[in-house]
Amino acid sequence: MVPPPGTNSVVIRGTGTAAGWQTRPVTDTEKTSATGGDGAPPASPPSAAVSSAPVPDGPPPAVGGVPLEALRRRTAAVLVASQILGGFGVATGIALAALLAADVSGSESLSGLALTASVLGTAVLSLPLAALMSRRGRRPGLMLGYLIGAAGGTVVVLAAVLENFPLLLLGMAVFGAASSANLQSRFAAADLAAPQQRARAIAAVMWATTLGAVIGPNIAAPAGRSVSALSDRIPETAGPFLWAAVIFLLAALTVGTLLRPDPLLTARALAARPADAENGTDGGPGGRPDDRPDERSLRAGLAAISASPQARLALATVALSHTVMVSIMVMTPLDLDHHGAGIQLIGLVISGHIAGMYAFSPLVGWLADRLGRYTVVLGGVALLALAALLAGTAQGNHAQTAAGLFLLGLGWSAGLVGGSALLTDSVPPDERPAAQGLSDLAMNTCAGGGGALAGLVVSQAGYGWLTAAAAVLLVPVALMAVLTLNHPARARG
């Protein structure tokens, strides 16, 4: 409850608010105890005394009659279901994207542009989707992302039939909207999570991608054959995108019908600041008045990130970890193909890579909550460096390439979970959606550039040089982590 203006209050540990705290007026007995009985200031801060002796304040809070813990579980279940579908669709489509681009363009040096276009589309669309979520909540933003992705998959199939490479790149860019929705879902999971469980909430939703993401590449070939059977004009490598379009429609339907109430708007309502009530303003369902958009703007998110060394480290971790992963992964199918691997083997290697990305994310989240964000970030850097070494020196050893790609996925998971949790910890609640949108913009823009250059590096210097160059990108993250650890205002970890 919010105390009336001018009333003394204590902050006590709550059992379910988004921020984890509640307020109520101070009783005369508590006031006397806190001041030592003579009205003098206490010897220690009031917060210390309060935290050592929390006072219960009624039953756990509820939203629409539903206990907050139950709402958290229900929200997580819906996000898990949508992530399974979204991961299935994305993985099915991109598994053969490089081969499709090489066939349509007639040049292997341009093959990396397919995934690059998808990554750049994810980056560009992350901003409007984040702005929509900031104003209207997670549900409409996630729905729109999946619907746009479905349209992109259809365009890719049309481009393959017409053998139009520019149209293919456009379709891949639009297809990237589904990836943006998948990425934003991890932040939706953190909206209602308690701070000490935030990394695990993010990781749980990421883990949900495992099932669809691992199965997706392995059914790419059967999906291609099934669609090609409908028309001889549809290439086998384009068929998976038609499957992906249908799957994205199912994901949009799941979010639109079941993600209620909206987690972001609910979290804002629960965390409404006392100052709003004291000023007589109405924060609406989001806990903030709609006529104050400056606190939710992208500029405010950038300012919040710039003001925090922890947030800057988080942004660098997410962006560069994703860049290293994409740059190596996008060219691995071609390297395997050059060393005699078939489509089925390539699918298995990519499945192992995606398993590394998502299957162990609950463990990564647990470690980030227990050992700290910095430990997980530095562990991710080490794993990515080892992955680059193994993949770059495989020279036709498919087992070594598979091991390298698995570790590449695991290192990416550590960077994304640790970095995302650190970013959420380090940015004020009102600026979080904007900062999170900027994070996705940065990670996908950098990865898009890396993917674009990857094909050129491989064609001119070779796959080994590509992995070496990617490993060098990890040096700034390691240095920033070490320096930020020594910052006096460092975050937990």
Side-chain angles (χ1 to χ4, degrees), residues 239-401:
F241 286 94
L242 192 57
W243 278 46
V246 176
I247 294 169
F248 292 153
L249 292 176
L250 294 176
L253 180 63
T254 300
V255 171
T257 57
L258 301 179
L259 193 62
R260 299 172 183 272
D262 189 280
L264 177 59
L265 300 184
T266 301
R268 283 178 174 168
L270 292 172
R273 293 186 292 190
D276 288 337
E278 294 175 7
N279 294 332
T281 57
D282 178 13
R288 302 290 304 163
D290 289 337
D291 59 352
R292 296 172 64 182
D294 55 301
E295 295 199 15
R296 299 184 198 171
S297 68
L298 294 174
R299 181 177 298 178
L302 179 60
I305 292 176
S306 300
S308 168
Q310 293 80 34
R312 293 197 297 270
L313 169 63
L315 183 65
T317 299
V318 170
L320 293 179
S321 296
H322 194 55
T323 302
V324 170
M325 186 276 291
V326 170
S327 299
I328 295 176
M329 185 270 288
V330 68
M331 298 311 299
T332 299
L334 282 178
D335 183 68
L336 289 169
D337 182 64
H338 289 161
H339 288 96
I343 290 180
Q344 291 296 121
L345 178 57
I346 293 173
L348 288 173
V349 172
I350 297 301
S351 292
H353 166 67
I354 296 175
M357 291 173 66
Y358 299 111
F360 296 91
S361 55
L363 175 61
V364 173
W366 182 83
L367 291 173
D369 283 334
R370 292 299 297 266
L371 302 181
R373 319 304 193 209
Y374 291 91
T375 301
V376 170
V377 165
L378 288 172
V381 169
L383 287 171
L384 289 170
L386 179 59
L389 175 64
L390 289 175
T393 58
Q395 295 297 320
N397 186 330
H398 299 328
Q400 183 174 329
T401 300

Side-chain angles (χ1 to χ4, degrees), residues 100 103-104 153-163 220-221 223-243:
L100 175 62
D103 290 341
V104 174
T154 304
V155 172
V156 169
V157 175
L158 177 62
V161 171
L162 299 176
E163 298 183 351
R225 289 192 295 269
S226 68
V227 174
S228 296
L230 300 176
S231 173
D232 295 337
R233 298 187 61 189
I234 302 178
E236 184 175 325
T237 50
F241 286 94
L242 192 57
W243 278 46

Side-chain angles (χ1 to χ4, degrees), residues 20-266:
W21 302 91
Q22 295 175 335
T23 61
R24 63 167 173 80
V26 180
T27 65
D28 292 338
T29 300
E30 289 168 344
K31 186 184 301 182
T32 301
S33 174
T35 60
D38 58 359
S44 60
S47 59
V50 171
S51 62
S52 63
V55 183
D57 192 20
V63 179
V66 180
L68 186 56
E69 283 301 321
L71 179 60
R72 284 171 171 163
R73 291 192 296 269
R74 189 174 75 187
T75 299
V78 175
L79 291 172
V80 163
S82 66
Q83 277 292 98
I84 291 175
L85 292 171
F88 190 22
V90 171
T92 301
I94 68 171
L96 303 180
L99 298 178
L100 175 62
D103 290 341
V104 174
S105 67
S107 172
E108 288 188 351
S109 64
L110 298 178
S111 60
L113 292 181
L115 187 56
T116 299
S118 177
V119 171
L120 290 177
T122 302
V124 172
L125 291 169
S126 65
L127 290 178
L129 290 178
L132 177 61
M133 292 180 196
S134 184
R135 294 180 179 276
R136 302 297 181 187
R138 300 290 186 188
R139 185 173 62 251
L142 295 178
M143 282 183 60
L144 183 60
Y146 287 126
L147 291 174
I148 295 175
T154 304
V155 172
V156 169
V157 175
L158 177 62
V161 171
L162 299 176
E163 298 183 351
N164 188 319
F165 188 62
L167 184 61
L168 174 68
L169 296 182
L170 175 62
M172 290 299 301
V174 178
F175 184 83
S179 294
S180 183
N182 277 353
L183 290 171
Q184 285 291 321
S185 292
R186 76 191 192 277
F187 292 124
D191 287 335
L192 293 175
Q196 68 274 16
Q197 297 177 342
R198 191 168 284 147
R200 276 169 281 184
I202 292 172
V205 171
M206 288 179 56
W207 173 85
T209 311
T210 306
L211 180 61
V214 171
I215 295 176
N218 288 293
I219 69 164
R225 289 192 295 269
S226 68
V227 174
S228 296
L230 300 176
S231 173
D232 295 337
R233 298 187 61 189
I234 302 178
E236 184 175 325
T237 50
F241 286 94
L242 192 57
W243 278 46
V246 176
I247 294 169
F248 292 153
L249 292 176
L250 294 176
L253 180 63
T254 300
V255 171
T257 57
L258 301 179
L259 193 62
R260 299 172 183 272
D262 189 280
L264 177 59
L265 300 184
T266 301

